[in-house]
Each structure stands twice: as C-alpha cells, then as structure tokens.
Amino acid sequence: MYTTQEIQEEIISEFEVLENKNDQYQYIIDLGRNLPPFPEEYRKDENLIKGCQSKVWLVPILKENRIYFDADSDSTLVKGLVSLLIRIFNGRTPQEILSTELFFIDRIGLKGMLSMNRANGLASMIQQIKTFARCYQENAPSLQ
Amino acid sequence: MLSLEHYRRDFPILHQKVNGFPLVYLDNAATSQKPQVVIDALVNYYQKINSNVHRGAHYLADQATIAFDETRKKVQKFINAQYPEEIIFTKGTTESINLVAFSFGEAFVSPQQEILITEMEHHANIVPWQMLCERKKAILKVVPVLEDGTLDIESFYRFLSPNTSLVAITHVSNVLGTINPIQEIIQVAHAAGAKVLVDGAQSVPHFQVNVQELDADFFVFSGHKIFGPTGVGILYGKKELLELMPPYQGGGAMIKEVTFERTTYNRLPHKFEAGTPNIADVIGLGVALDYVQNIGIENIALQEHALTEYATQQLQQIPSLKIIGNTPNKVSVISFVISGIHHYDLGMLLDANGIAIRTGHHCAQPLMRRFGVEGTARASFAFYNTKEEIHKLCEGVEKAIAVLT
C-alpha cells in the first residue's frame, strides 16, 4: 500500500496536467462521481458535517485497527474533494491518519477551497477525519 | 439603455482577469466596487490630513474634523434628513441596527410589547431583535412573504396592534430584490403608535431615499454598498427619539463630563459615537455620495432596471432555472436555483470563468426555508455592468449545467 505521502504526490501529478480551473473542477467532479454509492441508512443528521453551503455525510468504520470511510455530499464538487480525502485516508490506521500532513491541497492550487472552509466544509471534514482517528486510537484497547 | 459605460473606467478593479477571464463582477449586493476618486480620497487622507477629529488643537485635526463633519452633512442631504446630528456614523448596517435594538429597547420597549419584523429580513435585522426580546421579555412577530416574493401586507395589517413597539423592516430584500411599500407601512405603523426602523442597505444604492418624506423613525444603511469604503454605516434617527435614547457604548467623545460618581453625556450625534471614528472611510463615503450624485441616482436606477429586465429575460430562457423573487417592483438582484444543481457548484464553476456571483443562504436562512431551498445563486448588478456581462453569465450558467448534469 502506498503511503499517504505517495498518494498525495500522485494526486499532485494528476493535477499538474490540468491547465485551468475549469479542467480542475471537471476532474474533481469526475472523481466524485466515481465514489462508491453512499448507503442510504447513513444519510442522517448525526453523520452530517455542515459547511456553510454544502452538506457532507461522513461515516467511519473500523476494521482491524484500520479506518474506512463512506461519504457523500449534496454538492458535486465537494463530493469530489471528499473523494480525494478518502483516497488518502481510507484503510489507514488511526496513527497514520493522525501523523499525515496534508500538503496536496496547497500544491494543486486549491488553497482557496480550504480557506473557504465555511463554504464547502473541507477544513471541517479534515478535522472530523482526524477526530475519528483520535477517538479510535484512544479507545483502541477496548475496541479490540 | 443609457450610455453609462464610460463610468466603468472609473473602477480600476473591474479591469482585470480572474482565472484567465475578464472579471465579470455580479456580486454588487454584497459590496459594490469603488471608483478611483474614492480610492484617491483614502490615500489623500492618510497622506495629507490624517489626524484625530474633534480633539486636537492643530491644523491637521481641523482639516480632518472639517472633512469628517462635511460628510455628515453630505449624508444628511443625500437622504434628506432634517438635521446633521440625526446622522450617526457606525461601522455598518449591522451595528446601526444593534445600536437601535439596544438604545431604543432600553428606552422604549417593555415586557409583552411586540417587535414586528418580516420573513425576508437579513439576519442582521432578525438577531438583534431576538436579543432585545430576550432581554426585555418582549415578543417577536414575523410577517410572512408571498410566493412571488412580495410581503404579505394583509398579515402586516393583522399583526400590527397597539402593542407593537417597533416595526423593523427591510426596504429592499437582499435575496428577492423586492421593494417593500415602505411608505404605506410607516403610515400604518405610526397610526398604530409604533415606530419604524427601515433597513436601507439594499435600497440606498439603487434609488432616491427621502427619510422625511417616508417619515421613517430610523433608517440604516452601509457605505460600502454605495461605492464607499467598507467599515462605515449610517444610522439616521429622528432627533427627538435619539435624544431620549441612552448611549450604546461608553468611551471617549460621547461624554460631556466624567467623574467617578457620575458621567453626563455629550449631545447628538456624539452621544452615539464613542471612540475614534472611522475617519478615512467616512470621508471616502462622502466622496462616493458625490460621485453618485454626479451620475445621478435616477440614471443609475434606469440603467440597473434595464440590466435587470434584460438579465431576467435571458436567464428565463434556461429551462431548468427558476428565479426566486418575481415581483416587477424590484431592484437589480436576481436570485435563482437550478434543478439538480447545487448553488455552490454553480458559483465555483462560474468563478472558474471569471464570473463572480454570490451563492448560499445570503444571511437569510428563514427566507430560504420559506422557499424550501438550502440556498440560491444570486446575481446583482450595478450601473457599471453591461449586457455583454449578462451574456457571459448566461453562457457560464449553461456551461455549468452541462458539466454538472
């Protein structure tokens, strides 16, 4: 399995060939469309991360000390952003998630999207993923 | 359409590329752009006359004070207030409303009295009244909005009672563009013994406002939506009311005499202007008002009306697009939703093509709920916008629909 660092480098190289914002957004939208379908029973308020404008549902599942995510958003673009996060974090141990520094957002020129966290909730998503990881790590002995 | 296009040259920010495309700025209801004369006034102030007002015994302080006080008179004339001291400088519409909610509330609102607002208010004209009602055990009542975006005036008549202390209502909706029948509302409210605060943030930039003719008790607006700098708001209040209201904040400038036992307050307008005011931006606002008067607010209104009609007609050609707020009596604001498309996605894709609109709930969540939407896309025009820009907006929307569906 690639490291979170390697996957981020891979994402950066994919974005390097995209010449402008239109192409970038198109790519992000396509990525979102390729996310596995979201289980409808998860679409409830307790799984909701609220940005200012879009909704994101994020559900973690712990299997053998690795965290897997199901996610969806009512915004097609935000769903694409979520899919990038999932690509990096899916199947990682809580320790790996907590020690990962996300640098790809800056490097693919989407820093604006992160700073506009109130709008798309990207920053809260990242925070939530880390919070899940921290909870699992702290409760690890009792869960296993 | 009038030929106001040469004025576009006065706005340096409009002449740039965003994401590789010429900027199309259609977010004027959020804030308008600033003409060079306003930018120059700010630079000139800091380069030549920066000094604190009403305090220093020196040349610069005099210059700054004169320029500052002149702006008060300009604002007075602009909205036709009776006295310059009826113009209070604040940091924005929001602060103006909070000031009235506090000071009017302290002086005049008692338990079980009612504050009447409407379903189309900006959060800034909702939350301060909720806070007041909580503080004073008063009751907040909300006049509904009809499907076409007009106020349910019959409900207004029904809700109004001798128990109504104050009606706080927007002159123009920031989402729907609806112009409310404010004169009628004020007359009827006065007949019932209530005072009226008019939120003019979205009206003053678009048409002539005459506070004496309206007989408004309070009229509030922001400088930055009428080509002035950010950080300046206006509170107009009838002198006799302002006199009876306690100060909002304590500090410098608002006092007559301070002892540790008791402080007496300065006269109007200083009573409500504690601390060093936003001198540079106030002066900038004065220049912006001169600029508007040079063009003629009625010319601005005509141009914006023409742009809005044209844009409405063009946007309506797009089958999946629905405009929210369909009264003909509206300003240059068009809110819309597109079935199956999230407003955030639409905004981002337009931005990728250099087109700036606003998306979201526009600080009017109750109104969003009323129309059963999470948010809308909103294009809002100023007189410096062009038909060509409206074409680009429509093209951009169609392109976004193609990408997103």
Side-chain angles (χ1 to χ4, degrees), chain A residues 22 33 53 55 75-76 120, chain B residues 344-345 353 359 374 404:
Chain A
N22 273 310
R33 288 187 172 137
Q53 297 199 25
K55 292 177 180 169
S75 149
T76 315
N120 60 34
Chain B
Y344 173 76
D345 295 339
N353 295 288
T359 64
E374 294 275 340
L404 290 164

Side-chain angles (χ1 to χ4, degrees), chain A residues 20-22 25-26 29 33 50 52-55 74-78 81 113 116 119-120, chain B residues 19 21 340 342-346 348-349 351-353 359-361 365 374 399 403-405:
Chain A
N20 55 44
K21 276 255 150 67
N22 273 310
Y25 289 171
Q26 179 72 63
I29 287 165
R33 288 187 172 137
K50 259 196 151 170
C52 184
Q53 297 199 25
S54 63
K55 292 177 180 169
D74 57 350
S75 149
T76 315
L77 260 172
V78 173
L81 293 175
M113 285 197 144
M116 280 158 63
N120 60 34
Chain B
N19 291 323
F21 295 88
H342 197 283
H343 47 84
Y344 173 76
D345 295 339
L346 178 66
M348 294 301 283
L349 288 173
D351 178 61
N353 295 288
T359 64
H361 54 60
Q365 287 177 352
E374 294 275 340
K399 195 167 149 186
V403 171
L404 290 164
T405 50

